[in-house]
Amino acid sequence: MYEGMSTSIKLNFGERLVGYCYSKFRNIGDKLAKTFPKVDRQLEAAGKRIYGPAYFSTIFFFSLLAGIISVGFAIILYLILGTPLTLILLAAPLAVFIFGLVWPGMSASNLASMLDSEVPYAATYLSVMSTGGIPPYKSLKRLSRGELMPNLSKAASLAEVDVEVLGNDPVTSLEEMARNLPSEEYRDLIMGYASTLRSGGDVVHYLLRKTEQIFALRTAKMKIIGERMGMVMESYASVAMMLSLVVYTIFIISKAMPSEYMTMDVGQFAIFGYIVMPMLCGVFIFLADISQPKYPTGDRSVYKVFLISMIPGIAFIALFVVPFFIGDPRSLPTSAMMMALRELLGLEYGYEVPLGLCFAFLIMFIPPAIAYHLKHKESQGVFHGITLFLRDLTETRKTGMSPEKAILTLQDRPYGRFKKYLEKIAKQISWGIDFRTIYNDFAQRVKDWMPRAMMFILIDAIDVGGGSPETLDTLAKFAEDLERLEKEKRSALKPLMAVPYVSALLLIIIVVMLVSFMRSLLSIAHMGIALSEFIQFFLPPVVITAAISGLLAGKVSNGTLAAGFFHGIIMIIASIIAIVASGHLSLVFFKPLTGGI
C-alpha cells in the first residue's frame, strides 16, 4: 500500500447498521423483497439509495428488537396496573413491520408533495431565466448548486452527471430525470419543454404559459385541500368528542355503580386518557401535515424555543401538580398555593391538578408563541415588500436605468419590513459587492423560504440574464400571483380551526357536568361519589387533549405546527374559563340532595 493511499470507505452509522442487518438476515430479506416487490419501486421513487433486500433485513431487525422491548414493558406494566390492556404492547413488532412496509410509499408521497411545492418557483425561475436567453438546462444546473430547492437540486444533479459524465444530450437527460420523479406537474413541465424544443416551437412562450397554468392549477387545488382538511376535522371531532364521552361515561358508571357486567378499572382508563387519546390527536396532526402543501426549508428556531421552555414547564408540573398524586399535598408550599388559587376561584377540592396542568402548558407555549408571532409577521412583511419592490423595479427598469441604478433609486421608498434589507442591498451594490455574495448575506438574515426564493430568482435574473424589463416584469407578475395564492390558501383553511376549539371546550364542560350529575343522582340513593377524585383524574387528559387541539388548529389554519403554540395558549385559557364556569354551573344545577362529598 502506497503512503497516503487508502482503500477503506468510511460509512456512516446508518449504512453500517443496514450492512449488519443484511449480513445477519439476508435470507429473510430476500424472501420479503420477493413478497413485496412494490416497496423496492417506492424506495427508488422516494430517492432512497438502498438495496431492497437490505431494507427488508433492517425492517426485520427492528421488528425483532421491538418485540423484545415490548414484552418486557408489557410484563412490567401488567404487574403495576394489573390490566390485560397492557398486553396490547405485544402488537409493537407487527406495528413496526407494517410501518416499514408503508414508509417508502409515504416517503415517495412526501417527496411528491415537496416537489409540487417547489414546482411553481422552479417554473418561475425557468421562465424568468428563459426570457433572458438562458436555456432550462443551464438554469437547472444553477439550481443544483444551491440549497433553495433541495429536491429539485438532487434531480438536476443527476441530470448533470448524465450529461457531463455519460455524454448524453441535455434534453434527453432532462426527460429521463423527469420520468423518475413522482411529481406530475414537474414531469409535464420538463416533458413539454423537450417536446416544444424538438418541434421547433417557441420555448419561452411555452414556459410562460405553462407557469401560468401551474399557478391556475394551484388555485384550484386550494379548494380541494380545504375540502380534504374539512374531512380530517370532522373525523377529529368525532374521535375527540364521541369516543371520549363514551369511554368517560362507561368509566364513571362503572365506578359509581360497579357490577360484573360493566367494569373499567383505573389502569384501563389511564391508558386511554393519557396514551391513546394524545396519540390519536397526533395522528390527526400527521394527517393534516401530509394533506397540506409544504415548503422545502423553514425556520426551526421556534421549536428550539419550545424545547427550552419545556424545562420550566416540566419543573412546574413536578412542583405544583405531582404532589397531589403522591403523599399529602398540604405539607408542601407549592401545593398550598394551588389550593389557595382553587379556593379563590370558588371551586371544590380536586381542581388543583387540571388548573396546574393548564398553567404548565401556558409556561411551555407562551415563549414559542411570541417567537413565532414575531418571525411570522417579519416573514409576511418582507415577502409583501419584495412583491411591491419587484413591480416598482420593473417600471423603473423600463426607463432605461441599469438594474443596479434602479435598486439604488428605489431604496428610499417605503416597502415595510423589506426596507431595511433593501437599504443593505443598495449599500452592498454601491460598494461593488457581487450579487451572489449579496444573496448569501440576505439568506443568512431571512430564514423564511418564500422571500429567499424571490430574491434568488431576482439575483440570478440580474446576474446571469441581464435583468431586462421583460424578465423583471415576468418575475413581478409571478411574485404577485404567489402572494395571492398564499392568501387564498390561508383564507380557505382558517375557518376549519374552529372545529378543534369547539370539540375540546365542549369535552371539558360535558365531563365536569357529567360527573356532577352522577353525584347528584347517586345522592338520591344515599350513595356517595368522590367528586374530587374524578375531577383530579378525569380533567388532566382532557386538558392535554385541548393543548394538542391547539397545535392541530395552528397546523390546519397556517400549515405549520409552530402556529399552534398561539392557538394552544388560547385553548388553554378557554379551558381554564370552561373549568371554572362548568364547576360553578355544576354546583348550581346538580347540587347534591344530601351532604355529598
Side-chain angles (χ1 to χ4, degrees):
M1 187 75 66
Y2 293 101
E3 185 178 354
M5 296 180 62
S6 176
T7 58
S8 63
I9 300 176
K10 293 184 178 180
L11 301 177
N12 58 37
F13 174 75
E15 292 169 338
R16 292 198 300 270
L17 179 61
V18 171
Y20 171 80
C21 295
Y22 186 56
S23 65
K24 297 297 182 181
F25 308 107
R26 175 177 298 184
N27 293 333
I28 297 176
D30 291 335
K31 292 179 181 178
L32 290 174
K34 293 178 181 178
T35 306
F36 304 98
K38 186 179 179 180
V39 174
D40 199 12
R41 296 192 297 271
Q42 291 173 338
L43 286 170
E44 183 179 357
K48 308 298 180 182
R49 305 296 176 182
I50 181 172
Y51 183 48
Y55 175 75
F56 278 105
S57 301
T58 307
I59 292 178
F60 181 79
F61 169 75
F62 279 107
S63 301
L64 186 63
L65 184 64
I68 296 173
I69 296 174
S70 63
V71 168
F73 270 105
I75 293 174
I76 293 173
L77 289 177
Y78 180 75
L79 294 176
I80 295 175
L81 300 177
T83 173
L85 280 179
T86 57
L87 300 179
I88 196 173
L89 293 175
L90 298 179
L94 179 61
V96 171
F97 184 77
I98 293 175
F99 178 78
L101 291 180
V102 302
W103 179 76
M106 292 167 55
S107 299
S109 176
N110 186 59
L111 178 60
S113 177
M114 297 290 285
L115 284 169
D116 287 342
S117 297
E118 295 179 13
V119 164
Y121 296 87
T124 300
Y125 182 76
L126 295 179
S127 301
V128 170
M129 299 301 285
S130 66
T131 59
I134 308 301
Y137 174 70
K138 289 187 177 180
S139 300
L140 288 173
K141 280 182 64 176
R142 294 184 66 86
L143 278 180
S144 67
R145 289 166 172 76
E147 300 178 353
L148 185 66
M149 303 178 190
N151 299 292
L152 287 178
S153 296
K154 294 177 183 178
S157 299
L158 295 176
E160 185 179 358
V161 170
D162 199 31
V163 174
E164 304 296 337
V165 178
L166 301 180
N168 294 328
D169 67 281
V171 178
T172 303
S173 299
L174 290 177
E175 284 183 312
E176 290 298 323
M177 174 196 69
R179 287 194 184 98
N180 295 326
L181 290 177
S183 173
E184 184 178 351
E185 289 182 353
Y186 186 71
R187 184 165 54 247
D188 292 343
L189 175 68
I190 298 300
M191 299 295 285
Y193 157 74
S195 177
T196 304
L197 186 65
R198 287 198 172 99
S199 62
D202 188 346
V203 175
V204 176
H205 181 269
Y206 165 75
L207 289 174
L208 291 174
R209 297 288 81 77
K210 187 64 179 178
T211 304
E212 291 176 356
Q213 190 180 64
I214 288 174
F215 279 105
L217 184 61
R218 279 275 158 162
T219 302
K221 278 187 175 181
M222 287 301 105
K223 297 180 180 179
I224 299 176
I225 292 174
E227 295 175 358
R228 191 184 305 163
M229 293 305 301
M231 295 176 60
V232 172
M233 290 296 96
E234 290 174 4
S235 302
Y236 172 77
S238 300
V239 170
M241 281 290 294
M242 303 307 297
L243 179 61
S244 297
L245 287 179
V246 168
V247 174
Y248 275 55
T249 303
I250 292 175
F251 182 70
I252 291 175
I253 296 176
S254 65
K255 295 297 290 183
M257 297 180 291
S259 68
E260 59 179 329
Y261 302 106
M262 180 179 291
T263 58
M264 176 179 283
D265 58 35
V266 174
Q268 292 173 333
F269 179 80
I271 291 175
F272 173 81
Y274 291 89
I275 298 177
V276 175
M277 275 304 298
M279 288 180 62
L280 286 176
C281 294
V283 168
F284 282 102
I285 292 177
F286 173 73
L287 292 176
D289 180 68
I290 64 176
S291 301
Q292 292 179 301
K294 53 186 86 60
Y295 298 109
T297 59
D299 190 359
R300 303 293 180 184
S301 60
V302 175
Y303 301 108
K304 295 178 182 178
V305 174
F306 173 64
L307 291 177
I308 296 173
S309 65
M310 284 183 66
I311 298 174
I314 295 174
F316 186 91
I317 293 175
L319 293 174
F320 290 86
V321 177
V322 174
F324 286 93
F325 291 100
I326 54 175
D328 184 11
R330 296 176 178 83
S331 61
L332 296 176
T334 55
S335 304
M337 292 173 59
M338 290 304 303
M339 295 175 68
L341 175 63
R342 184 260 305 168
E343 293 175 358
L344 181 64
L345 295 175
L347 297 174
E348 298 180 81
Y349 182 79
Y351 283 92
E352 293 88 349
V353 172
L355 288 174
L357 199 58
C358 288
F359 292 132
F361 275 116
L362 289 178
I363 293 172
M364 288 188 280
F365 284 177
I366 287 176
I370 295 174
Y372 173 78
H373 177 75
L374 297 176
K375 292 180 180 297
H376 183 63
K377 289 294 183 182
E378 176 76 8
S379 172
Q380 281 191 325
V382 170
F383 185 64
H384 180 65
I386 290 177
T387 304
L388 298 176
F389 165 72
L390 289 174
R391 176 52 60 192
D392 291 346
L393 181 64
T394 300
E395 301 305 321
T396 306
R397 184 76 175 91
K398 289 178 181 179
T399 63
M401 287 187 186
S402 65
E404 295 83 356
K405 180 64 175 176
I407 292 175
L408 293 174
T409 302
L410 295 174
Q411 65 174 314
D412 295 328
R413 295 193 181 181
Y415 294 114
R417 297 179 184 269
F418 177 64
K419 181 177 174 58
K420 58 183 177 182
Y421 299 103
L422 180 59
E423 291 174 347
K424 180 69 177 295
I425 291 172
K427 288 180 181 179
Q428 291 173 325
I429 291 176
S430 64
W431 295 338
I433 299 176
D434 63 281
F435 279 105
R436 184 52 48 192
T437 304
I438 291 174
Y439 169 75
N440 291 335
D441 179 70
F442 178 82
Q444 288 178 356
R445 292 183 293 142
V446 178
K447 300 300 182 181
D448 195 67
W449 192 73
M450 289 195 298
R452 292 172 62 182
M454 287 295 100
M455 286 303 298
F456 177 83
I457 299 173
L458 173 63
I459 293 297
D460 266 21
I462 297 175
D463 191 27
V464 181
S468 65
E470 294 79 10
T471 300
L472 296 178
D473 184 63
T474 302
L475 177 57
K477 180 180 180 303
F478 288 136
E480 292 164 352
D481 289 342
L482 283 169
E483 186 177 27
R484 174 183 54 81
L485 188 64
E486 288 300 312
K487 288 181 179 178
E488 290 181 356
K489 182 183 75 172
R490 290 193 296 268
S491 299
L493 297 177
K494 188 165 291 186
L496 297 175
M497 72 179 182
V499 176
Y501 273 89
V502 174
S503 300
L505 296 180
L506 284 179
L507 184 60
I508 291 176
I509 294 174
I510 292 175
V511 165
V512 175
M513 302 289 277
L514 180 62
V515 175
S516 301
F517 172 73
M518 286 300 300
R519 182 180 67 165
S520 177
L521 184 64
L522 291 175
S523 66
I524 301 175
H526 303 285
M527 297 174 60
I529 175 173
L531 179 65
S532 60
E533 294 181 9
F534 276 94
I535 294 298
Q536 185 171 304
F537 191 63
F538 263 26
L539 281 187
V542 180
V543 171
I544 295 173
T545 302
I548 301 178
S549 297
L551 299 179
L552 178 60
K555 184 65 180 177
V556 170
S557 61
N558 291 81
T560 174
L561 197 63
F565 295 121
F566 174 74
H567 294 284
I569 293 173
I570 299 177
M571 190 75 76
I572 292 299
I573 294 175
S575 299
I576 295 175
I577 296 173
I579 289 173
V580 175
S582 57
H584 285 287
L585 288 175
S586 64
L587 291 175
V588 173
F589 292 108
F590 305 119
K591 186 176 181 180
L593 299 181
T594 59
I597 296 177

